[in-house]
């Protein structure tokens, strides 16, 4: 039975959440294109912005895509995954809708204050502080309030999954947690731990400070609290993609998941290690002793393990599907995979790109090699491969499979959908490789003007290629990405306009059992309490002393007053 | 729990890889002598950065035999010294930069080198390096700091020791606060 | 930074075009002996403005510049012939004051160096009586100061930030100085003044005030023989040339061309100008600045216009969709949505499956990772110039 018939109320929540997510994706994508053209000085005179507006666009691009699009998509995906795997409806639809509206109000507040940057007539003042909103730059209080509401909304959404799970547990004592629900719960346990940092930063410090209730905040403390959250948030984005790759992608390939226990172990490792690594974003920060940075580095390096294991398990599952389709040989089986089905090809390409993004992440994790690439264009090169493709392309791809099931409408414009993942992949390859190389040449990130233009004293000296050629690749790549985004939106819009039940769906929602089920694995894997406790201990070890040393001279000292942007 | 032998092999390979990465980084620190920015620079009050002994009037000072200290104030939207007047230091000497900001968070990155640090208000970033060859280096602010962030840049001019000593805007000795500072 | 509403057209040859707190009016403070201008008032997206940005005072007025925020200076961009205002070059903070008594009539343009890029500029107009000093109306030929697009970025090189549309008139002097590597264009990348008018037979002394510049002649009148100074020279260097042939000479600095380090010299009297003060003759070219931001009405208009244009397509598309013939119904006999059937594939069980393909691919990936890591660490990183050692 199709999902929309089995769980109509959960399907409705998921539809609305995907709807908001795709709107944010559309607007954030437009901003991204304008940004790329401006920065690479391509048709700059035709763009309606100036250099200062660039930072408004950049803030909008970051917040809409990395905070709004992600959170809403994840809520929708997890709503589907939980109900489907527990085979029961959500424990409380009221709470689920409450979460949705909290998220929406937070989004409207934050987005309006960002748009104030171009449209002074809007009620708040501009908040060109970028996605990381470092103090002492100060955004309008509405920005911080909006961000806080989005976080709180996500907490409430998570609570609904836990409530549903506890109800299921009462009816199913002693059974192993179904894999998708296990992934949802571990992701959210990690999220609750991670968001403590940013919640304290925003609620205890930034909101009172921006309202004038306290005079100063310690910029290093707020920055540290942000990165407490700032690293695990990327796993909040990655783990849902892993959920898709582990549980759905094998079926799309025509096979079965290679190993359920290994998937569980991977998610447990993420729960343990995602948060006590935040200092690797602060390797070149003053005020933080080298010892704490080193501990963070070893934790981060350990965090490579679950991702490397995922690579094996997911590819093994795909290979199984290929062989069931009749593929043979050491690599020839790749051709038997259903590359003409966009849900499959999008996820597979996303996974491939993540393998590359993983490498640049390994470099970022190295403590001293960080000097080479910190705050250069290499960093956006890296995260466009990871959140920009591993997450975003996976969501777009799985939407082709999932949206028909939660709406009851057949997917339209199939040919457009079929090509879309490839266009995204090519665009991202061009843009990201140029960004990586430009970063190695020293070009900074988060900058409106390409500085130090060529002629005479050009300090940007790439090893291979020229700055001009890199800029061209970024311009072309981002244009292709925008085209791919437009293709995706046209497919979604066309599907949405269709009538539910007018034609049978072209997808099938059943998921076969894994090759290795959970039965053989240790029960302790399912003991979420133990893992959470260990995670908390690891965070306390990694952050306790550093935070103590920062606040020992005063919670608000050395203090900086707000400097509005 | 049953793990396929291939996956066990890969698990072992992954651990070796991770160990290799950590070992390389340790080699960089211990063998190649790369040091991380840390809390040695101390703290200052952003409202009055020269009040504490962790920071002095911006400029180039001689800190000992063949050792120089450069105090740089990074603010919206210039480096002082650096932007309007290039920072001049002699080649082949130990140069320690002390960088802080009285307003927002900035970056201090010397293009084409591994000199790269954040400048956080309230903290002094202290980094020591040696410029072996004379030449001109460009400083870039790589952390968004406001509307004209993209114009925030400076220059470091590394000159021969003899040229440096003869230059009219020589440094002041570090224990001579009354001496003129090259700005 | 939000865009300001109506901007003055060509405020002082475009000097105040990107100054947010300039609303087109020149504050009249004539008749007062002492006048205050705030340095670092709110404006231009932060405390980056002079307030008021344009004032008119009587000769002999003392202007007190009062700093109301930190890190500003007052550098003189341009002043009338014979005026001797030195500005306040050092960066000062809140509470600092500096004053100067303005005697010579004319237009004084000044700016704050670190915040020049966000528009911290100002103007002082010293005038005895109401009304402009008029242009003399003599006829007679002269050399118009026509530069085409030389000072914009349509010509080779970047836009010349310190060119405000006016040509500084130094006719009648035997020797005139042009600074090479003056402040401008985001650093010390300007000729000051960028556009100069001199009489034939004048010697121009090019004086380098910063390092690493040259003077390369782009274009000169027929018969002129100016070779420029092609060698890169540093602060303190001087070079002079006596300009005889009338016409327009264009020159540039090669290393900083893309930043906008260009200049022009017009040799010959201005057409029709016989001793009028004020701006030199010829076209006044507004400097290229960033385009204006959009207003909410423009966005709405664009959106509505776009929606109106696209609506016929939307209607057609929607109608097409409704009339799509459907094969079998999407619902089965119970009214439930039909899904596609499951794929019928050969089954390979757990015990029969060894992922050799995965192993092969993952070994290759491992080797790539190791190779790239070694390259990145040992070649790129450790080979990358000065490093932090303490």
């Amino acid at each position: 039975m199709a999902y929309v018939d089995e769980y109509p109320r959960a399907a409705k929540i998921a539809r609305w959440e995907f709807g908001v997510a795709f709107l944010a994706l559309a607007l954030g994508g437009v901003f991204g294109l304008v940004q790329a053209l401006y920065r690479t000085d391509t048709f700059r005179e035709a763009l309606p912005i100036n250099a200062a507006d660039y930072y408004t666009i950049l803030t909008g691009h970051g917040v809409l895509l990395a905070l709004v699009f992600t959170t809403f998509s994840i809520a929708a995906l997890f709503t589907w995954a939980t109900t489907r795997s527990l085979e029961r409806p959500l424990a409380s639809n009221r709470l689920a809708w409450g979460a949705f509206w909290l998220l929406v109000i937070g989004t409207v507040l934050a987005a309006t204050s960002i748009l104030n940057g171009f449209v002074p007539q809007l009620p708040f003042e501009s908040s060109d502080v970028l996605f990381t909103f470092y103090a002492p730059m100060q955004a309008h209080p509405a920005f911080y309030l909006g961000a806080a509401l989005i976080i709180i909304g996500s907490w409430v959404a998570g609570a609904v999954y836990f409530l549903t799970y506890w109800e299921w547990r009462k009816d199913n004592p002693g059974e192993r947690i179904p894999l998708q629900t296990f992934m949802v719960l571990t992701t959210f346990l990690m999220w609750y731990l991670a968001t403590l940092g940013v919640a304290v930063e925003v609620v205890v410090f930034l909101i009172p400070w921006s309202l004038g209730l306290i005079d100063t905040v310690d910029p290093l403390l707020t920055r540290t609290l942000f990165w407490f959250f700032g690293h695990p948030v990327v796993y909040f984005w990655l783990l849902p993609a892993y959920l898709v790759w582990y549980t759905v992608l094998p079926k799309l390939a025509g096979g079965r998941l290679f190993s359920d226990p290994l998937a569980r172990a991977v998610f447990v490792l993420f729960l343990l290690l995602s948060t006590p690594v935040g200092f690797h974003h602060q390797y070149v920060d003053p005020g933080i002793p080298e010892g704490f940075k080193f501990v963070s580095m070893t934790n981060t390096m350990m965090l490579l393990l679950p991702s490397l294991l995922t690579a094996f398990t997911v590819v093994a599952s795909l290979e199984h599907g290929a062989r069931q389709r009749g593929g043979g040989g050491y690599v020839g089986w790749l051709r038997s995979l259903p590359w003409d089905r966009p849900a499959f090809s999008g996820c597979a390409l996303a996974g491939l790109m993540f393998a590359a993004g993983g490498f640049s992440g390994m470099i970022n994790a190295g403590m001293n090699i960080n000097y080479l690439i910190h705050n250069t264009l290499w960093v956006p090169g890296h995260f466009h491969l990871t959140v920009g493709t591993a997450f975003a392309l996976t969501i777009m791809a799985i939407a082709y499979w999932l949206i028909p099931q939660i709406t009851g409408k057949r997917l339209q414009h199939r040919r457009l959908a079929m090509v879309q993942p490839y266009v995204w992949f090519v665009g991202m390859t061009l843009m990201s490789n140029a960004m990586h190389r430009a970063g190695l040449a020293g070009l900074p990130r988060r900058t409106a003007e390409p500085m130090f233009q060529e002629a005479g004293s050009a300090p940007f000296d790439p090893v291979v290629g020229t700055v001009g050629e890199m800029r061209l690749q970024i311009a072309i790549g981002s244009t292709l990405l925008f085209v791919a985004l437009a293709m995706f939106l046209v497919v979604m819009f066309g599907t949405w306009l269709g009538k539910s039940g007018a034609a049978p769906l072209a997808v099938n929602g059943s998921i076969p059992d894994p090759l290795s089920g959970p039965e053989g694995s240790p029960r302790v894997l399912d003991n979420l309490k133990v893992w959470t406790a260990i995670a908390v201990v690891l965070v306390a070890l990694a952050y306790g002393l550093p935070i103590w040393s920062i606040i020992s001279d005063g919670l608000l000292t050395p203090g900086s007053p707000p400097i509005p942007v | 729990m049953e793990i396929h032998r291939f996956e066990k092999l890969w698990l072992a390979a992954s651990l070796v890889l991770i160990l290799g990465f950590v070992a390389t980084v340790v080699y960089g620190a211990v063998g190649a002598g790369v040091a991380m920015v840390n809390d040695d620079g101390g703290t200052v009050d952003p409202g009055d950065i020269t009040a504490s002994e962790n920071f002095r009037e911006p400029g180039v000072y001689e800190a000992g035999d063949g050792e120089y200290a450069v105090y740089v104030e990074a603010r919206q939207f210039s480096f002082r010294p650096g932007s309007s007047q290039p920072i001049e230091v002699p080649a082949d000497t130990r140069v320690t930069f002390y960088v802080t900001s009285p307003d927002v968070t900035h970056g201090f990155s010397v293009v084409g080198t591994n000199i790269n640090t954040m400048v956080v208000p309230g903290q002094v970033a202290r980094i020591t390096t040696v410029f072996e060859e004379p030449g001109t280096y460009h400083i870039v602010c790589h952390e968004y700091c406001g509307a004209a962030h993209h114009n925030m840049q400076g220059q470091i001019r590394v000159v021969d020791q003899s040229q440096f000593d003869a230059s009219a805007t020589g440094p002041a000795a570090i224990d001579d606060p009354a001496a003129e500072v090259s700005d | 930074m939000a865009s300001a509403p109506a901007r003055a057209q060509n405020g002082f040859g475009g000097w105040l075009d990107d100054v947010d707190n300039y609303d087109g009016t020149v504050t009249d403070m004539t008749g007062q002996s002492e006048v205050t201008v705030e340095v670092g008032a709110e404006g231009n997206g932060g405390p980056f403005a002079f307030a008021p940005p344009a004032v008119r005072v009587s000769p002999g007025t003392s202007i007190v510049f009062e700093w109301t925020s930190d890190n500003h200076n007052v550098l003189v961009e341009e002043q009338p012939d014979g005026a001797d205002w030195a500005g306040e070059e050092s960066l000062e903070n809140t509470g600092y004051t500096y004053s100067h008594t303005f005697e010579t009539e004319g237009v004084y343009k000044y700016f704050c160096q670190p915040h020049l890029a966000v528009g911290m500029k100002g103007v002082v107009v010293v005038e005895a009586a109401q009304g402009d000093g008029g242009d003399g109306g003599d006829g007679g030929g002269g050399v118009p100061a026509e530069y085409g697009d030389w000072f914009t970025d349509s010509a080779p090189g970047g836009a010349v930030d310190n060119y405000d549309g006016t040509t500084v008139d130094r006719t009648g002097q035997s020797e005139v100085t042009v600074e090479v590597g003056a402040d401008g264009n985001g650093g010390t990348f300007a000729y000051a003044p960028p556009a100069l008018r001199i009489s034939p037979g004048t010697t121009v002394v090019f004086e380098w005030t910063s390092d690493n510049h040259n003077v390369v002649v782009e274009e000169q009148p027929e018969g002129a023989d100016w070779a420029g100074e092609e060698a890169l020279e540093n602060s303190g260097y001087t070079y002079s040339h006596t300009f005889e042939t009338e016409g327009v000479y264009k020159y540039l600095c090669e290393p900083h061309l893309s930043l906008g380090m260009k200049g022009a010299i017009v040799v010959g009297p201005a057409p029709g100008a016989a001793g009028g003060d004020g701006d030199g003759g010829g076209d006044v070219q507004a400097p290229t600045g960033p385009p204006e931001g959009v207003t909410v009405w423009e966005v709405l208009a664009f959106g509505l216009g776009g929606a109106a244009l696209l609506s016929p397509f939307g209607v057609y598309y929607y109608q097409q969709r409704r009339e799509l013939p459907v094969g079998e119904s999407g619902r089965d006999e119970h009214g439930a949505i039909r899904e596609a059937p499951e794929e019928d594939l050969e089954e390979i069980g757990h015990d029969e499956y060894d992922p050799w393909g995965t192993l092969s691919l993952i070994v290759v990936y491992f080797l790539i990772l190791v190779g790239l890591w070694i390259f990145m660490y040992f070649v790129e990183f450790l080979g990358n110039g000065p490093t932090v050692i303490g």
Side-chain angles (χ1 to χ4, degrees):
Chain A
M1 197 154 85
Y3 182 82
V4 65
D5 288 329
E6 268 205 87
Y7 306 104
R9 302 181 72 185
K12 181 168 181 194
I13 294 173
R15 284 198 299 274
W16 280 66
E17 285 169 341
F18 271 129
V20 175
F22 297 158
L23 278 174
L25 179 62
L27 189 55
V30 169
F31 282 2
L33 180 65
V34 172
Q35 207 186 312
L37 293 178
Y38 189 91
R39 167 90 196 241
T40 56
D41 202 0
T42 313
F43 306 129
R44 193 189 271 179
E45 318 75 47
L47 297 171
I49 62 165
N50 60 27
D53 289 337
Y54 178 87
Y55 300 110
T56 310
I57 294 252
L58 183 51
T59 308
H61 181 73
V63 170
L64 284 171
L65 294 180
L67 200 52
V68 180
F69 164 62
T70 50
T71 309
F72 278 90
S73 308
I74 293 167
L77 183 70
F78 280 7
T79 299
W80 166 78
T82 311
T83 49
R84 197 209 138 263
S85 58
L86 292 178
E87 293 175 325
R88 64 194 301 134
L90 290 176
S92 166
N93 282 291
R94 183 114 44 101
L95 217 49
W97 280 108
F100 175 79
W101 288 112
L102 273 174
L103 286 169
V104 168
I105 295 172
T107 302
V108 169
L109 281 174
T112 308
S113 70
I114 295 170
L115 289 175
N116 248 106
F118 314 115
V119 186
Q121 294 85 345
L122 287 175
F124 307 126
E125 272 155 32
S126 78
S127 299
D128 296 350
V129 287
L130 307 193
F131 167 73
T132 46
F133 56 88
Y134 296 135
M137 281 196 307
Q138 184 229 326
H140 189 271
F143 177 88
Y144 299 119
L145 188 57
L149 286 178
I150 292 177
I151 301 290
I152 296 173
S154 71
W155 289 347
V156 176
V160 176
Y161 309 134
F162 278 94
L163 287 171
T164 314
Y165 165 68
W166 286 327
E167 267 188 20
W168 173 88
R169 180 50 86 198
K170 269 189 285 205
D171 295 341
N172 299 275
E175 265 194 53
R176 302 301 299 261
I177 310 177
L179 185 60
Q180 285 187 328
T181 301
F182 182 85
M183 293 172 162
V184 168
L185 298 179
T186 43
T187 304
F188 262 90
L189 285 170
M190 179 208 71
W191 181 241
Y192 286 130
L193 187 53
T195 45
L196 284 177
V198 75
V200 167
E201 181 201 359
V202 172
V203 171
V204 173
F205 294 105
L206 296 183
I207 292 183
W209 176 74
S210 64
L211 289 172
L213 299 172
I214 56 176
D215 289 328
T216 63
V217 292
D218 178 355
L220 186 63
L221 178 63
T222 51
R223 202 176 138 80
T224 304
L225 287 171
F226 181 84
W227 287 114
F228 178 108
F229 152 84
H231 192 77
V233 72
V234 319
Y235 295 111
F236 183 62
W237 306 328
L238 187 63
L239 296 187
Y242 279 8
L243 182 151
V244 171
W245 297 352
Y246 273 117
T247 63
V248 184
L249 187 56
K251 170 255 170 42
L252 295 175
R256 295 160 62 186
L257 171 60
F258 187 62
S259 167
D260 170 311
L262 221 47
R264 275 172 214 261
V266 159
F267 272 70
V268 167
L269 281 172
F270 278 117
L271 170 55
L272 296 181
L273 292 172
S274 296
T275 310
V277 296
F279 283 119
H280 72 235
H281 292 268
Q282 299 179 266
Y283 278 148
V284 295
D285 273 26
I288 312 231
E290 192 166 343
F292 298 143
K293 296 177 178 175
F294 186 82
V295 167
S296 202
M297 180 188 73
T298 47
N299 287 345
T300 312
M301 289 299 185
M302 283 309 298
L303 204 46
L304 295 178
L305 186 63
S307 286
L308 291 171
L309 289 175
T310 299
F312 190 95
T313 309
V314 171
V315 176
S317 314
L318 295 189
E319 187 187 342
H320 182 253
R323 296 199 188 281
Q324 289 201 151
R325 285 179 186 276
Y330 284 109
V331 288
W333 54 272
L334 284 167
R335 285 197 306 193
S336 312
L337 290 169
W339 295 103
D340 62 339
R341 307 209 60 178
F344 171 78
S345 62
C347 289
L349 289 174
L352 177 60
M353 204 141 236
F354 186 68
F359 176 70
S360 56
M362 293 169 197
I363 296 286
N364 295 344
M367 187 172 69
N368 39 38
I369 193 174
N370 197 258
Y371 277 129
L372 183 64
I373 47 88
H374 174 72
N375 266 359
T376 64
L377 212 49
W378 166 285
V379 177
H382 162 75
F383 64 65
H384 279 91
L385 290 176
T386 49
V387 68
T389 307
F391 177 81
L393 186 57
T394 299
I395 293 288
M396 289 191 276
I398 209 60
Y400 295 137
W401 183 76
L402 198 51
I403 296 285
Q405 295 178 57
I406 64 175
T407 55
K409 301 175 183 179
R410 190 187 175 93
L411 194 76
Q412 297 297 320
H413 310 301
R414 277 209 84 236
R415 263 167 300 185
L416 215 53
M418 208 159 69
V419 177
Q420 187 258 345
Y422 296 98
V423 178
W424 186 274
F425 186 79
V426 170
M428 190 58 83
T429 304
L430 289 175
M431 187 175 90
S432 182
N433 100 79
M435 283 177 154
H436 278 95
R437 286 161 41 225
L440 287 180
L443 261 83
R445 63 182 289 209
R446 296 180 151 178
T447 297
E449 302 269 349
M451 283 189 278
F452 300 141
Q453 290 141 43
E454 38 281 356
S457 57
F460 295 123
D461 198 7
V463 175
V464 179
T466 66
V467 173
E469 156 264 312
M470 291 174 197
R471 283 206 228 129
L472 190 63
Q473 282 201 49
I474 292 174
I476 297 178
S478 56
T479 308
L480 284 176
L481 287 171
F482 184 73
V483 167
L485 175 61
M487 290 164 83
F488 172 73
L489 291 170
V490 167
V491 172
M492 286 294 120
F493 187 67
T495 306
W496 181 50
L497 284 183
K499 265 184 73 116
S500 180
L505 304 183
V507 295
N508 175 283
S510 69
I511 295 179
D513 288 334
L515 281 172
S516 265
E519 316 77 44
S521 65
R523 291 202 147 260
V524 72
L525 274 180
D526 279 20
N527 189 337
L528 298 176
K529 293 201 184 87
V530 156
W531 303 123
T532 309
I534 299 180
V536 170
V537 168
L538 288 176
V539 167
L541 286 175
Y543 270 96
L545 273 176
I547 294 202
W548 172 249
S549 80
I550 295 173
I551 63 177
S552 59
D553 61 351
L555 202 58
L556 300 177
T557 49
S560 284
I563 297 182
V565 271
Chain B
M1 178 165 116
E2 175 242 331
I3 305 181
H4 192 285
R5 66 189 192 285
F6 289 178
E7 189 130 31
K8 280 193 196 132
L9 183 63
W10 177 240
L11 177 60
S14 303
L15 288 170
V16 165
L17 193 68
I18 291 170
L19 223 59
F21 290 163
V22 175
T24 329
V25 171
V26 170
Y27 163 75
V30 171
V34 181
M36 297 308 296
V37 182
N38 56 20
D39 59 347
D40 280 352
T43 60
V44 292
D45 175 8
D48 188 2
I49 57 179
T50 50
S52 132
E53 31 173 55
N54 290 324
F55 199 76
R56 324 170 75 91
E57 269 305 307
V60 180
Y61 296 80
E62 186 162 351
D65 197 16
E67 298 209 6
Y68 293 85
V70 184
Y71 286 84
V72 182
E73 182 195 37
R75 52 194 318 169
Q76 291 172 320
F77 297 98
S78 56
F79 292 103
R80 188 160 83 102
S83 292
S84 50
Q85 290 277 22
I87 298 171
E88 207 172 86
V89 290
D92 215 18
T93 57
R94 282 178 70 98
V95 177
T96 301
F97 291 94
Y98 297 81
V99 195
T100 190
S101 163
D103 50 28
V104 296
T105 306
H106 295 276
F108 180 91
S109 167
V110 183
V111 178
T113 72
N114 290 332
I115 302 167
N116 187 345
T117 181
M118 296 301 294
V119 186
V120 180
Q123 311 290 330
V124 176
R126 185 192 144 166
I127 46 183
T128 303
T129 185
V130 174
F131 292 98
E132 308 212 329
E133 302 286 325
T136 304
Y137 295 87
H138 291 260
I139 311 170
V140 150
C141 170
H142 55 31
E143 182 57 63
Y144 170 66
C145 51
H149 158 65
H150 42 276
N151 285 317
M152 187 163 164
Q153 39 183 274
Q155 272 192 34
I156 300 177
R157 242 180 250 136
V158 181
V159 296
D160 284 323
Q161 183 78 57
S162 48
Q163 201 179 333
F164 179 77
D165 291 335
S167 143
T169 53
I174 215 159
D175 43 14
D176 186 3
E180 211 183 288
V181 167
S182 86
D183 205 84
Chain C
M1 211 160 82
S3 62
R7 298 224 175 121
Q9 298 85 347
N10 281 342
F12 300 96
W15 180 243
L16 297 179
D17 264 4
D18 60 340
V19 178
D20 277 0
N21 67 325
Y22 175 61
D23 61 3
T25 62
V26 179
T27 311
D28 192 344
M29 293 169 137
T30 53
Q32 303 177 31
S33 59
E34 196 178 278
V35 157
T36 302
V37 170
E38 271 177 51
V39 178
E42 279 298 316
N44 297 304
F48 307 132
F50 293 104
V55 294
R56 189 192 311 280
V57 298
S58 311
T61 305
S62 180
I63 296 189
V64 176
F65 291 90
E66 201 174 288
W67 270 241
T68 57
S69 61
D70 291 353
N71 192 39
H72 305 290
N73 58 10
V74 176
L75 298 184
V76 183
E77 164 75 6
E78 194 180 294
Q79 57 186 320
D81 272 349
D84 63 351
W85 184 29
E88 174 55 87
E89 293 215 356
S90 65
L91 291 167
E92 299 294 347
N93 294 333
T94 310
Y96 183 81
T97 62
Y98 153 80
S99 40
H100 177 80
T101 306
F102 289 78
E103 300 281 5
T104 312
E105 282 183 49
V107 173
Y108 297 70
K109 297 179 186 172
Y110 63 94
F111 65 98
C112 164
Q113 191 198 352
H115 307 119
L116 172 62
V118 292
M120 189 164 172
K121 299 186 270 190
V123 165
V124 175
V125 181
V126 180
E127 210 164 75
Q130 280 301 328
D132 319 339
D135 271 342
D138 284 307
V143 184
E146 256 156 34
Y147 310 117
D149 58 4
W150 181 238
F151 286 107
T152 72
D153 59 7
S154 312
V160 181
D161 281 357
N162 67 324
Y163 174 65
D164 63 5
T166 64
T167 301
V168 172
D169 193 320
R170 298 261 194 273
T171 52
Q173 301 181 20
S174 59
E175 196 178 279
V176 169
T177 304
V178 169
E179 270 177 54
V180 178
D183 282 325
N185 297 306
T188 50
F189 309 130
Y191 295 106
L196 176 67
R197 181 187 291 283
I198 54 176
S199 309
T202 304
T203 301
V204 174
V205 177
F206 290 89
E207 200 175 287
W208 270 240
T209 55
S210 61
D211 292 354
N212 193 39
H213 305 291
N214 60 6
V215 176
V216 172
V217 183
E218 166 80 2
E219 201 179 286
Q220 58 186 321
E222 251 189 64
D225 64 350
W226 184 29
E229 173 57 89
E230 298 219 347
L232 289 170
E233 297 295 347
N234 291 335
S235 192
Y237 182 80
T238 62
Y239 154 79
S240 28
H241 178 81
T242 305
F243 289 81
E244 302 282 3
T245 312
E246 284 191 15
V248 175
Y249 297 69
K250 297 178 185 171
Y251 61 95
L252 57 96
C253 166
E254 273 172 329
H256 305 120
L257 174 61
S258 63
L259 296 170
M261 190 162 172
K262 300 185 277 195
I265 296 179
V266 186
V267 179
D277 56 339
D279 296 350
D283 342 347
V284 173
Q285 306 199 9
T288 55
E292 302 211 3
V294 285
T295 66
V296 69
W297 307 119
E298 287 166 8
V299 171
L300 270 176
F302 183 74
L304 285 173
L309 275 174
L310 291 172
S311 55
F313 293 105
V315 169
Y316 173 73
Y317 174 71
Y318 188 69
Q319 286 188 325
Q320 286 291 306
R321 302 234 40 275
R322 286 190 127 198
E323 280 145 32
L324 271 176
V326 285
E328 49 183 306
S329 159
R331 294 184 187 278
D332 64 16
E333 58 273 13
H334 306 289
I337 302 275
R338 272 188 224 274
E339 287 188 319
E342 281 185 46
E343 291 185 287
D344 186 19
L345 302 169
E346 171 204 344
E347 287 212 5
I348 300 177
H350 169 268
D351 297 327
E352 314 153 298
Y353 176 53
D354 280 329
W356 281 102
T358 305
L359 187 64
S360 327
L361 288 179
I362 214 118
V363 164
V364 172
Y365 183 55
F366 181 84
L367 293 172
I368 294 177
L369 287 179
V370 172
L372 278 178
W373 177 269
I374 292 176
F375 168 72
M376 283 293 297
Y377 201 88
F378 293 95
V379 176
E380 283 283 335
F381 173 56
L382 291 183
N384 191 36
T387 267
V388 177
I389 53 175

